Amino acid sequence: MALKLTGTVAIVTGASSGIGAATARRLAREGASVALIARRKDRLDALVAEIKEAEGTAFAVPCDITDQTRAKAAVQTVVDRFGRIDILINNAGLMLIGPIVGADVDEWEQMLAVNVRGLLYVTHAALPYLLTAAADGPRNVADVVNISSLAGRKAWAQFGVYNLTKFGMNGFTESLRQEVTRRHVRVGVLEPGAVVTELISHNNEQMLSEILEPFNALHQRLDADDIADGIEFMVTRPRHASIAEMWVMPTDQVA
Ligand code: NDP
């Protein structure tokens, strides 16, 4: 049986762990050649080996996407290697929570750098190739999926700057969708509720116990594969159908 993404080339940012790693595995399983972008080269190399072992095609592109020059070079490396880009999954992200009053402003800068500027740099560099793929690629359609969050739909105290980055991502996604959808580049946002990954591990112990542990104890969190399911669905629709927004929640997570 033909695989759904045979002949396509996909970039997944933040592919060294969590949702990005699950998505890279999934897209490769469906026949895409997958370029894995993140900073931890050892993790990327291990995932490339795993995908190859399963007879998939993958390529590690170690890169800090907060550096515009490096982000652009990473995208060019993918094109040099695979010749095209059909699918871009903007997944790399950072969540540092805590009060705005008295915050460590450096933590804000880190979130803005990854969640906003990294998103913009990679998207800007990839768009010309996505437009080309939509115009004369085998599928005549290309895809951008931006991994936002429930925090892009709802704001909570202690999540202020993370909320800012994810609400911003949602606005950017819809604006870009309107700009390029008639050229058959589908642009959509996927907003997960709570997922078991390393995302929370970058917070200090006090923030985790005060803010997140009671929050996460309320429900059974999703697995990264649950999000990969949604991404796979979004990028495998027929050419005439575009999923602009998908909100995936643990069943027992209310808010
Ligand atoms: P992880 O912490 O497991 O993954 C984050 C990924 O981002 C890692 O692969 C990390 O790789 C990469 N990354 C971080 N900084 C950079 C950088 N400067 N350059 C390149 N890559 C970078 O968490 P998740 O899998 O949970 O997060 C994936 C996305 O899902 C994020 O955008 C997050 O906001 C979103 N999300 C997650 C939810 C959850 O409950 N887990 C809920 C809602 C949304 P490396 O460190 O190797 O660079």
Side-chain angles (χ1 to χ4, degrees):
M1 199 173 71
L3 300 172
K4 294 175 190 161
L5 294 172
T6 298
T8 65
V9 174
I11 292 179
V12 180
T13 71
S16 59
S17 59
I19 293 168
T23 302
R25 284 187 193 96
R26 181 65 63 91
L27 299 183
R29 195 183 81 188
E30 288 305 329
S33 298
V34 184
L36 315 181
I37 294 182
R39 293 166 302 177
R40 286 172 292 178
K41 183 177 182 309
D42 54 339
R43 293 278 199 107
L44 297 182
D45 288 343
L47 184 52
V48 166
E50 181 193 322
I51 289 172
K52 286 184 174 167
E53 182 75 20
E55 301 190 350
T57 303
F59 176 48
V61 188
C63 176
D64 181 343
I65 62 167
T66 67
D67 180 312
Q68 186 184 0
T69 306
R70 287 187 202 164
K72 190 173 177 185
V75 169
Q76 191 56 50
T77 302
V78 177
V79 175
D80 292 347
R81 171 71 178 245
F82 290 134
R84 53 186 301 108
I85 304 170
D86 301 274
I87 297 167
L88 170 62
I89 313 297
N90 282 310
N91 163 77
L94 178 65
M95 181 184 76
L96 300 172
I97 52 172
I100 293 166
V101 176
D104 176 352
V105 172
D106 183 54
E107 293 193 346
W108 295 355
E109 298 291 358
Q110 289 176 49
M111 275 189 288
L112 291 167
V114 183
N115 300 4
V116 178
R117 287 196 288 279
L119 161 78
L120 298 179
Y121 298 154
V122 175
T123 305
H124 179 256
L127 269 171
Y129 300 105
L130 292 162
L131 286 162
T132 299
D136 40 273
R139 298 192 311 161
N140 281 125
V141 71
D143 289 282
V144 179
V145 179
N146 293 334
I147 306 307
S148 178
S149 173
L150 173 59
R153 303 173 59 97
K154 296 176 183 232
W156 307 281
Q158 321 288 355
F159 286 77
V161 178
Y162 186 66
N163 280 136
L164 170 72
T165 65
K166 295 299 188 179
F167 272 76
M169 178 188 256
N170 285 15
F172 172 71
T173 304
E174 174 56 12
S175 173
L176 180 61
R177 187 191 69 79
Q178 292 181 20
E179 183 179 326
V180 297
T181 194
R182 286 202 181 99
R183 296 165 76 184
H184 287 98
V185 178
R186 300 182 291 206
V187 184
V189 73
L190 191 155
E191 298 141 327
V195 188
V196 179
T197 69
E198 297 173 17
L199 189 72
I200 61 174
S201 68
H202 307 290
N203 294 274
N204 68 40
E205 289 299 321
Q206 194 188 345
M207 289 302 165
L208 285 180
S209 59
E210 283 179 13
I211 301 170
L212 276 179
E213 274 166 21
F215 185 80
N216 284 328
L218 292 175
H219 46 258
Q220 179 184 349
R221 288 181 285 163
L222 298 166
D223 293 324
D225 257 342
D226 295 317
I227 306 306
D229 282 343
I231 293 169
E232 179 190 333
F233 183 80
M234 290 174 80
V235 303
T236 55
R237 294 309 82 215
R239 181 174 182 260
H240 65 273
S242 169
I243 309 293
E245 182 174 20
M246 184 185 285
W247 178 19
V248 183
M249 292 285 279
T251 305
D252 60 0
Q253 182 178 359
V254 175

